[in-house]
Amino acid sequence: MNAELLIVGTGALATLFAARLSGAGHRVTMLGKWPAGLEALRARGAHLLEADGSERAFPVRVAADARECRGAQHALVLVKAWQTPRAARQLADCLAPDGLAITLQNGLGNREALARDLGPGRVALGVTTAGATLVEPGLARAGGAGLTSIERNPALGPVPEALRSADFKLELVDDAQSLVWGKLIVNAAINPLTALLRVPNGVLLERPAARALMAALATEAAQVAAAEKVHLPFSDPVAAAEEVARLTAANHSSMLQDVQRGAQTEIDAICGAIVERGELHGISTPVNRVCRDLVRAVRENPPQSH
């Protein structure tokens, strides 16, 4: 059965999900605010460049005003963490009273930000390790297949079947918070260093100083997770971060991509969130703090060429 889905966002992951879901026969609407992205999506649909070099475009409905999407039953939230409050306001204007917003974003605090406007009963927590790079507005290059995990929720309706039909590897879990923290630790260990050094993920393993910083970032984050009583999906946070860097060696992290184009990063929802949660528990996180501040400083002075 074909589903009708709203995707909030017009970036790399939003384009990837929209293209694959549309290609599987589902009706997809993309809600966003980025003029160039909206224009490109209207003109040629969600354009996807696969790893094998094949390229196809898939039709999507495009909306800049949430009122055009009123009555939406199921929404996938795929905006940057710093855009979540805006997405929450948009969804408050269009999500059905019994509708469900599913966050598949990076970092901490996204579910809470959505729930402030929608109520906790209308938000489901998820995480995805699917990868995508935005080549240009409306065109995404697919990365690793990854895994999408969503907390079990009776309001999910056709969403799991739709995602599986679109070739997303999906699992329904009882504790998505564990997976969110697992991804947070890996992101904290990899993303800020790649953004600051301007290197692909795998280079971090080739440089002893960078590898040591990776380990420190992951260890600090895991200490905070333990204080939060989060059961992580792995026993060794350093090994987990290094394995992801190895498997995605050629990838440019989303934070590196943001820095290269002079865009705002998710550093506050990643290293910044670790620092803040650490302070609540009296745990010092000096490496995460310095990386947070350095990435912030880069954002304050973006490269002139971008």
Side-chain angles (χ1 to χ4, degrees):
M1 182 178 71
N2 292 342
E4 189 159 343
L5 300 168
L6 174 66
I7 292 180
V8 185
T10 54
L13 276 179
T15 302
L16 170 71
F17 273 75
R20 292 216 167 133
L21 285 164
S22 175
H26 303 289
R27 296 180 295 278
V28 177
T29 298
M30 299 183 73
L31 173 63
K33 287 291 187 184
W34 182 31
L38 294 171
E39 182 180 349
L41 290 162
R42 279 196 191 98
R44 63 179 185 180
H47 212 169
L48 188 61
L49 181 62
E50 295 284 7
D52 63 5
S54 62
E55 188 174 335
R56 287 186 64 191
F58 302 91
V60 294
R61 180 174 173 240
V62 179
D65 188 332
R67 291 172 293 185
E68 299 174 49
C69 310
R70 277 185 176 156
Q73 198 68 40
H74 298 98
L76 300 178
V77 184
L78 287 162
V79 298
K80 298 287 188 179
W82 58 270
Q83 297 171 313
T84 306
R86 186 206 74 208
R89 293 191 296 271
Q90 290 176 304
L91 285 166
D93 285 337
C94 69
L95 194 67
D98 60 345
L100 188 70
I102 304 152
T103 168
L104 297 175
Q105 302 162 269
N106 285 335
L108 295 184
N110 293 302
R111 174 165 58 181
E112 293 78 4
L114 291 166
R116 280 193 287 273
D117 283 86
L118 303 176
R122 293 205 291 166
V123 182
L125 182 63
V127 62
T128 185
T129 58
T133 302
L134 195 66
V135 179
E136 60 185 54
L139 172 61
R141 179 187 295 113
L147 175 67
T148 298
S149 306
I150 303 173
E151 275 185 346
R152 300 181 194 279
N153 189 308
L156 283 172
V159 173
E161 182 183 341
L163 288 170
R164 290 187 179 113
S165 73
D167 291 329
F168 287 101
K169 186 178 178 184
L170 177 75
E171 65 174 2
L172 298 180
V173 299
D174 295 319
D175 180 19
Q177 193 69 14
S178 167
L179 300 175
V180 168
W181 268 90
K183 187 177 181 185
L184 176 74
I185 289 169
V186 170
N187 282 345
I190 294 174
N191 291 15
L193 295 176
T194 59
L196 292 167
L197 298 173
R198 311 292 176 95
V199 297
N201 296 355
V203 173
L204 300 180
L205 300 174
E206 301 169 4
R207 300 183 181 180
R211 193 167 185 170
L213 286 168
M214 279 182 67
L217 286 161
T219 300
E220 288 180 0
Q223 290 170 347
V224 176
E228 293 263 315
K229 300 188 181 341
V230 174
H231 178 71
L232 294 174
F234 41 71
S235 58
D236 186 337
V238 177
E242 290 188 348
E243 178 66 7
V244 171
R246 190 172 296 110
L247 292 173
T248 62
N251 289 9
H252 287 199
S253 74
S254 59
M255 194 171 292
L256 171 57
Q257 293 177 53
D258 288 339
V259 165
Q260 286 176 326
R261 37 190 196 93
Q264 188 165 335
T265 74
E266 295 183 299
I267 193 65
D268 288 318
I270 299 175
C271 292
I274 291 164
V275 171
E276 290 177 6
R277 299 292 178 94
E279 288 174 345
L280 292 175
H281 297 285
I283 297 173
S284 178
T285 54
V287 186
N288 276 273
R289 181 183 296 275
V290 169
C291 283
R292 178 201 66 183
D293 292 346
L294 285 171
V295 174
R296 281 179 176 175
V298 170
R299 168 66 183 126
E300 289 166 1
N301 297 282
Q304 295 301 308
S305 59
H306 294 283

